[in-house]
């Protein structure tokens, strides 16, 4: 597993200089994608309010564990430490964007079609048995919808927050989740999911809805709020999130033996089991 120490200041802009910045056009839409590493591909989808230094740190951990990371820019300023005001603006723009369905349960965000195409491209470029995918917060459920793409074998849902207006809702249509469940059963696959116990954006009701839809194929991990980092948080998280939320990024405690580090290591092992040891 990667080291649990970092030499980068997470409260300063990350230049992302160790990633290749690519402009990838798929389905007639171009997006920036940051790519690094070798080995089977893992799609790392950012949380609000964008590709922060914390998100980039997680992507580097995935890279260092033996994977090619594809990290698409979906919103916000890449590498920035957004303050509360900027983060609020990014969040508001995403909520009204045609690419996302922030307030619509039982339906997938349109951007997931582009992400499935990215998974196909990443599999073609990186090889291996398939592709891993992790979504966080606003993108948390996207990894599940991406299971409609056959190349995606290892989906991880980290604190999936959509739809925002229904704590028990899930952002995927009944037809799509039925198709995903059939594939999970047919190919003996599982979905990993993570949240903090007191998270008001990703509630126990939402995890219960996933469990009802997917049965034992949905493997849930609920961390105690006491396991969350509460020191030196960006103002976006202090003022607007204001509860333990981001399991493998801002609220992760980067120390050996911490539950959030154990969650990170379990995710990396899940990717390895599905994409390397297969």
């Amino acid at each position: 597993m990667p080291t649990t120490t970092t030499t980068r200041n997470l409260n300063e802009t990350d230049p992302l200089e160790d990633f290749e910045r690519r402009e990838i056009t798929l389905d007639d839409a171009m997006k920036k994608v940051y790519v690094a590493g070798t080995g089977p591909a893992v799609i790392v989808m950012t949380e609000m309010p964008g590709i922060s230094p914390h998100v980039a740190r997680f992507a580097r951990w995935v890279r260092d564990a033996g994977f090619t990371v594809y990290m698409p820019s979906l919103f916000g300023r890449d590498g920035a430490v957004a303050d509360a005001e900027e983060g609020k603006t990014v969040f508001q723009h995403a909520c009204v964007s045609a690419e996302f369905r922030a307030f619509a349960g039982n339906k997938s965000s349109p951007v997931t079609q582009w992400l499935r195409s990215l998974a196909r491209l990443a599999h073609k470029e990186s090889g291996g048995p398939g592709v891993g995918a992790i979504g966080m917060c606003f993108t948390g459920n996207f990894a599940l919808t991406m299971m409609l793409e056959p190349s995606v074998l290892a989906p991880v849902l980290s604190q999936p927050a959509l739809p925002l207006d229904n704590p028990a809702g899930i952002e995927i249509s009944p037809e799509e989740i039925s198709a995903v469940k059939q594939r999970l059963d047919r190919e003996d696959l599982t979905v990993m999911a993570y949240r903090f116990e007191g998270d008001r954006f990703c509630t126990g009701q939402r995890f219960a809805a996933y469990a009802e839809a997917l049965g034992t194929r949905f493997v849930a991990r609920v961390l105690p709020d006491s396991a969350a980092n509460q020191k030196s948080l960006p103002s976006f998280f202090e003022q607007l999130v204001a509860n333990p939320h981001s399991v493998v990024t801002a609220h992760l405690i980067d120390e050996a033996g911490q539950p959030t580090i154990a969650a990170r290591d379990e995710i990396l092992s899940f990717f390895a089991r599905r994409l390397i040891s297969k």
Side-chain angles (χ1 to χ4, degrees):
M1 293 300 169
T3 178
T4 58
T5 60
T6 178
T7 58
R8 293 176 184 262
N9 187 336
L10 298 172
N11 292 312
E12 294 180 354
T13 297
D14 189 326
L16 305 172
E17 80 290 344
D18 50 338
F19 292 85
E20 178 190 1
R21 181 185 179 278
R22 296 171 57 183
E23 295 183 348
I24 296 179
T25 299
L26 300 164
D27 304 326
D28 298 321
M30 187 278 287
K31 295 186 183 299
K32 289 180 292 183
V33 181
Y34 293 86
V35 182
T38 58
V42 173
I43 313 296
V44 175
M45 291 167 281
T46 184
E47 64 188 358
M48 279 289 161
I51 299 176
S52 67
H54 285 92
V55 172
R57 177 181 64 174
F58 178 78
R60 292 185 178 102
W61 281 330
V62 175
R63 175 199 65 192
D64 294 346
F67 302 98
T68 305
V69 168
Y70 289 73
M71 184 167 56
S73 176
L74 301 175
F75 38 72
R77 288 191 298 126
D78 302 336
V81 181
D83 61 20
E85 190 60 34
E86 179 182 357
K88 183 178 180 180
T89 299
V90 172
F91 173 75
Q92 290 172 336
H93 287 170
C95 283
V96 298
S97 168
E99 288 196 303
F100 306 103
R101 298 193 186 279
F103 299 97
N106 297 322
K107 190 176 291 186
S108 296
S109 287
V111 73
T112 56
Q113 178 61 54
W114 191 92
L115 292 166
R116 295 202 300 269
S117 296
L118 178 62
R120 285 194 296 274
L121 174 67
H123 187 212
K124 180 179 179 181
E125 292 182 343
S126 301
V131 175
I134 178 169
M136 312 174 190
C137 178
F138 208 81
T139 67
N141 186 75
F142 293 0
L144 184 65
T145 303
M146 289 172 70
M147 286 296 290
L148 297 170
E149 161 53 42
S151 67
V152 179
L153 298 178
V156 178
L157 283 58
S158 192
Q159 73 273 356
L162 302 186
L164 296 170
D165 58 346
N166 181 3
I170 53 179
E171 197 218 16
I172 186 171
S173 73
E175 296 78 15
E176 288 176 332
I177 201 165
S178 177
V180 169
K181 175 61 163 61
Q182 291 176 35
R183 184 183 173 210
L184 294 171
D185 289 338
R186 183 173 63 250
E187 301 181 29
D188 192 22
L189 300 174
T190 52
V191 176
M192 300 298 299
Y194 298 81
R195 61 178 291 269
F196 284 107
E197 186 175 18
D199 191 346
R200 59 192 175 92
F201 298 104
C202 178
T203 65
Q205 294 168 281
R206 177 158 297 143
F207 267 32
Y210 281 121
E212 182 178 359
L214 300 175
T216 58
R217 300 294 175 180
F218 180 74
V219 181
R221 301 287 189 250
V222 181
L223 282 64
D225 291 350
S226 60
N229 172 48
Q230 300 291 353
K231 299 177 181 178
S232 301
L233 292 171
S235 63
F236 175 83
F237 288 90
E238 283 191 334
Q239 298 179 32
L240 299 182
V241 178
N243 64 234
H245 178 63
S246 299
V247 175
V248 296
T249 56
H251 291 113
L252 177 142
I253 299 177
D254 189 11
E255 297 173 1
Q258 290 291 333
T260 48
I261 284 293
R264 179 206 67 180
D265 289 348
E266 183 178 50
I267 291 169
L268 297 179
S269 294
F270 176 60
F271 289 149
R273 187 167 67 253
R274 291 298 184 194
L275 306 177
I276 295 177
S277 304
K278 192 174 177 68

